[in-house]
Amino acid sequence: MLFSQTAFASLLQSLGLAKGLFKPFPGETRTFQNPSVLSSHSSDVLENLGVCEVQPYAAPNLTDRSAPFDPVKSTIYRYRQQQSVNLGSWFVHEQWLTPSTFKCSSGKQISEWDIATGWGSPAAARSLLEKHWDSFITQEDFDYLASVGINTVRVPIGYWNLGPTFCQGTPFEEVADVYANSWSRVKQAINFADRAGLGVLVDLHGAPGSQNGQPHSGVSDGQTNLFDDPSNVEKTMQVLTFLMTELDQVTNIAGIQILNEPKNVVGLEDFYTEAISRMRQVSPQAVRFPLYIHDGFDLDRFSRYVANRSDFVVQDHHSYFVFSSPDIAESASQHAADVQSSILTDLQNAAVVSHRNLVVDEWSCALAPQSLAQESDKSGAQQRFCADQAMIYSDVIAGWSFWAYMKEDCDTDPGWCFRSAVGKYLPTVFSSFPGTAFPLDAQGTEQTFLVPLQNVSGRRDISGSTQFVINKGYSDGFQTAVIFASYGMSRLGFVEQYIQDSLSTLVPVQVAPAEEDIYRQWFRLGLRDGEASVNGGI
């Protein structure tokens, strides 16, 4: 397996234990959510006869560096079952989430570019955004997420967030200075997460030229100019390789998402293949680094794409029930029934094909008023719909990420705002182990849970020349379950990828090529028994 006994002991010591459719944009959202601009501005924004003035903000210099790379902890962050939230409208703004930041933006007032080119001057826009980066989400939010069992966050960024150099030759060039301090804030977010024990999926939400023409990709013109423009393709490749260079040895980075919700163009597989190849060439560590691809809402097409790869590539599918006419017409109860039937079946089939390298990294509790109007118990129907999604996405695939953690008017919108939904439509505490809501006390873990190899033969009828491989597979699986559980009750999520990557280090020295399937079989059995032991079983 990927852990050695020495690494396991080191991990325990370091932990102190060794003892649907696109997400909404304003025109769509107003028909059923009606987000409104805040009735009063903060003290930093003054309005006089329609002219907005932003008080200067002296952004502090950030010098925090990431902690030294810990390969054992990194393995847990990358391979564990993910319970995640999206930190939307922090670095990539969306009008319906943070309408106050758009009050004096330019043009259509719907995208990041409108903010950066609005507010009277680039200096004012910079002050507004820097204050937002430093206050919208803080260390306390990461600590809260960890306290309720969230173990990962998905952080949407745009290419502009990498700083002025990456704005050159793009529409953001004229306002490049606005983002001079942006990348340091993204790195600070990663450090915030690390201190709370959370993994981070860095998601390229806005690529040069735009991958989908949507406002949440940073543009207001509705144009998709990435795939047909070689210069934009090259700029995007440079963005992605930069991200890999910066993040491949950051312990709590769970992965990089190459694109968010791209148009399902004919050449999308080729684009992904080129991007993956370029990113894997950055360093030896990049070869095994998790890379996430959104499937353009074509589940079958990209589950086959992932199936044809052996490296750590994860398919991201987004699931919403509020945008299409059929969704709006359908009742909340019927949506819940769909989740338990057709949605479940589709995800099960795709997970089998993609070897469970599948996540739903955007979903919510939101339903259209028309869907809820058909229910006598509206709140109960919405709660069942939301709970069914959480259950399915936890059981069938390797993880999920709720959209979104925070928004303005959060308290009145539990359909979209995680902080408000917890304890109402969502559980109060999340756990990868059913019925287990508290971290495992791992003192004496090795003695309590690890099955000595001499006892394995007593549990199973094994004989012949493959006995060592059977013993090793079972023991590795059992120990892996316990090691993951000892870190915040984590659970191995990307099981088949973990086994494949383990075998790449075991074959042919400890496992003969002809015996790989035997190792896989017994690893799964050991993993099952280890997880049952952690959860109060065997």
Side-chain angles (χ1 to χ4, degrees):
M1 63 176 178
L2 297 182
F3 291 112
S4 65
Q5 290 285 357
T6 301
F8 180 30
S10 173
L11 171 67
L12 294 180
Q13 183 175 8
S14 71
L15 297 173
L17 300 172
K19 337 192 191 176
L21 291 173
F22 294 114
K23 64 179 176 289
F25 56 92
E28 294 175 326
T29 307
R30 289 195 187 102
T31 61
F32 55 87
Q33 290 294 339
N34 193 31
S36 59
V37 175
L38 297 182
S39 57
S40 61
H41 295 98
S42 72
S43 59
D44 296 317
V45 179
L46 307 175
E47 186 173 13
N48 181 22
L49 299 177
V51 177
C52 292
E53 178 184 352
V54 180
Q55 295 297 318
Y57 175 68
N61 292 325
L62 300 180
T63 57
D64 284 354
R65 295 180 178 273
S66 299
F69 183 66
D70 185 329
V72 177
K73 287 184 181 180
S74 176
T75 297
I76 293 172
Y77 283 118
R78 293 178 180 184
Y79 289 89
R80 69 181 170 186
Q81 185 80 18
Q82 293 175 2
Q83 298 146 191
S84 177
V85 296
N86 283 274
L87 305 184
S89 220
W90 193 8
F91 298 106
V92 178
H93 279 78
E94 301 188 37
Q95 194 276 345
W96 67 286
L97 289 172
T98 51
S100 67
T101 61
F102 286 86
K103 181 64 178 177
C104 292
S105 60
S106 66
K108 296 181 180 179
Q109 299 186 319
I110 59 174
S111 75
E112 180 81 22
W113 191 82
D114 294 336
I115 296 175
T117 57
W119 292 94
S121 70
R126 175 171 171 169
S127 287
L128 179 87
L129 288 174
E130 288 181 340
K131 177 71 180 296
H132 176 82
W133 299 331
D134 288 346
S135 61
F136 184 61
I137 296 174
T138 67
Q139 181 69 62
E140 287 72 24
D141 294 291
F142 288 91
D143 295 340
Y144 162 77
L145 289 169
S147 75
V148 299
I150 293 300
N151 63 26
T152 308
V153 291
R154 181 172 180 255
V155 180
I157 66 169
Y159 66 89
W160 51 88
N161 293 123
L162 276 56
T165 299
F166 290 91
C167 295
Q168 302 308 305
T170 78
F172 281 86
E173 181 172 357
E174 63 183 281
V175 290
D177 188 59
V178 171
Y179 297 95
N181 288 323
S182 181
W183 181 241
S184 65
R185 267 60 190 175
V186 175
K187 291 194 291 185
Q188 177 178 250
I190 295 168
N191 288 336
F192 283 163
D194 184 45
R195 292 170 197 147
L198 303 182
V200 177
L201 174 63
V202 175
D203 155 45
L204 185 57
H205 225 67
S210 178
Q211 71 277 14
N212 56 30
Q214 299 291 320
H216 58 245
S217 71
V219 302
S220 300
D221 59 8
Q223 299 296 309
T224 302
N225 291 319
L226 168 57
F227 302 108
D228 294 331
D229 186 332
S231 67
N232 284 330
V233 169
E234 180 57 29
K235 290 185 182 75
T236 303
M237 296 297 169
Q238 292 174 8
V239 167
L240 293 167
T241 54
F242 172 83
L243 290 174
M244 180 64 83
T245 301
E246 290 279 301
L247 303 175
D248 66 345
Q249 292 196 76
V250 177
T251 299
N252 68 316
I253 290 294
I256 296 171
Q257 179 150 0
I258 292 174
L259 290 175
N260 173 70
E261 296 184 352
K263 277 194 174 179
N264 195 13
V265 298
V266 172
L268 189 54
E269 291 103 325
D270 293 338
F271 178 90
Y272 281 146
T273 299
E274 174 66 16
I276 292 168
S277 176
R278 295 270 290 267
M279 296 173 78
R280 296 252 182 261
Q281 293 173 35
V282 165
S283 68
Q285 294 75 24
V287 174
R288 286 189 173 180
F289 190 91
L291 296 175
Y292 287 59
I293 60 169
H294 187 268
D295 58 18
F297 301 97
D298 193 334
L299 191 62
D300 293 340
R301 176 184 177 188
F302 284 93
S303 61
R304 294 192 299 270
Y305 177 85
V306 170
N308 288 326
R309 302 191 65 96
S310 61
D311 56 333
F312 202 162
V313 176
V314 180
Q315 178 182 5
D316 173 24
H317 183 70
H318 295 174
S319 187
Y320 292 120
F321 298 83
V322 292
F323 301 131
S324 70
S325 296
D327 282 343
I328 292 172
E330 195 169 282
S331 70
S333 296
Q334 186 57 54
H335 279 306
D338 290 344
V339 169
Q340 291 282 6
S341 55
S342 60
I343 301 298
L344 170 60
T345 299
D346 289 346
L347 289 175
Q348 284 176 325
N349 292 340
V352 169
V353 173
S354 64
H355 312 300
R356 210 170 187 265
N357 279 17
L358 175 65
V359 294
V360 171
D361 266 354
E362 287 191 25
W363 66 284
S364 76
C365 300
L367 288 166
Q370 296 92 321
S371 296
L372 291 169
Q374 303 175 52
E375 305 290 342
S376 57
D377 179 7
K378 295 178 176 57
S379 181
Q382 193 160 12
Q383 191 278 331
R384 288 189 295 273
F385 160 74
C386 195
D388 285 349
Q389 286 189 88
M391 179 179 65
I392 294 302
Y393 304 153
S394 297
D395 290 347
V396 176
I397 56 179
W400 50 261
S401 192
F402 189 93
W403 188 278
Y405 168 63
M406 182 58 66
K407 65 185 291 290
E408 293 175 7
D409 298 328
C410 175
D411 290 344
T412 63
D413 195 0
W416 286 112
C417 189
F418 178 85
R419 189 78 186 240
S420 180
V422 169
K424 182 174 183 179
Y425 297 151
L426 291 170
T428 56
V429 177
F430 301 86
S431 173
S432 296
F433 290 88
T436 304
F438 300 100
L440 172 70
D441 179 1
Q443 180 150 357
T445 295
E446 190 165 359
Q447 290 71 31
T448 304
F449 292 105
L450 298 188
V451 179
L453 283 179
Q454 62 267 26
N455 292 339
V456 175
S457 59
R459 294 173 50 81
R460 308 291 181 189
D461 180 17
I462 58 176
S463 61
S465 62
T466 61
Q467 179 171 336
F468 173 81
V469 175
I470 292 173
N471 286 349
K472 180 162 183 56
Y474 185 87
S475 179
D476 285 357
F478 199 104
Q479 292 180 42
T480 295
V482 176
I483 292 168
F484 272 71
S486 68
Y487 194 79
M489 288 304 289
S490 297
R491 189 175 193 173
L492 182 60
F494 297 99
V495 177
E496 299 306 317
Q497 188 68 51
Y498 184 90
I499 296 173
Q500 176 66 31
D501 292 347
S502 295
L503 281 169
S504 70
T505 69
L506 297 174
V507 176
V509 178
Q510 297 187 65
V511 177
E515 296 177 326
E516 290 182 50
D517 287 343
I518 296 172
Y519 179 89
R520 288 190 178 94
Q521 175 187 353
W522 285 89
F523 183 99
R524 295 187 196 107
L525 289 172
L527 181 71
R528 181 202 65 187
D529 288 353
E531 290 180 345
S533 183
V534 168
N535 208 30
I538 66 173

